[in-house]
Amino acid sequence: QVQLAQSGGGSVQAGGSLRLSCAASGPIFSSYCMAWFRQAPGKERETVVLVNRDGRGTYADSVKDRFTISRDNAKNILYLEMNSLKPEDTAMYYCAADPGVWCGTKWSYWGQGTQVTVSS
């Protein structure tokens, strides 16, 4: 079983920054698609960014130019750098992995989630 361990959440004022981490067991980054999701109370789950097997991210319009993904293959860690945070970014954030050949068909592995709270 692949395990994803998240860290880096917290509270920040609007305009601030946070970096989330997703540490994966096994050879994740060389073979799996990855993604960051978020879900706020009363709202549907939203795809924040899809991370393709080549390491490039496809971002939701709501976070483009503010959020950036990066990865450390040696440590098997995927990062989400969040800048210029807004109150509407407040949500529980999750990382996920898809082992299949068709990226995004099924997110089989999930991190435990980490809360991000942005105050005005």
Side-chain angles (χ1 to χ4, degrees), residues 6 17 32 50 62 66-67 72 75 77 81 84 86 89 93 95 97 110:
Q6 297 181 227
S17 299
Y32 290 0
L50 173 68
S62 60
R66 298 190 298 117
F67 291 12
D72 185 334
K75 298 180 179 179
I77 300 176
E81 182 72 32
S84 301
K86 305 174 181 179
D89 294 318
Y93 284 71
C95 64
W110 292 81

Side-chain angles (χ1 to χ4, degrees), residues 38-54:
R38 67 185 182 186
Q39 188 166 26
K43 297 183 179 179
E44 295 183 348
R45 188 182 68 194
E46 177 186 13
T47 303
V48 177
V49 55
L50 173 68
V51 185
N52 299 310
R53 291 186 177 90
D54 63 2

Side-chain angles (χ1 to χ4, degrees), residues 3 5 19 21-29 71-79:
Q3 292 185 324
R19 187 177 73 168
S21 299
C22 178
S25 63
I28 296 295
F29 300 118
R71 63 182 182 179
D72 185 334
N73 287 329
K75 298 180 179 179
N76 252 5
I77 300 176
L78 175 70
Y79 299 100

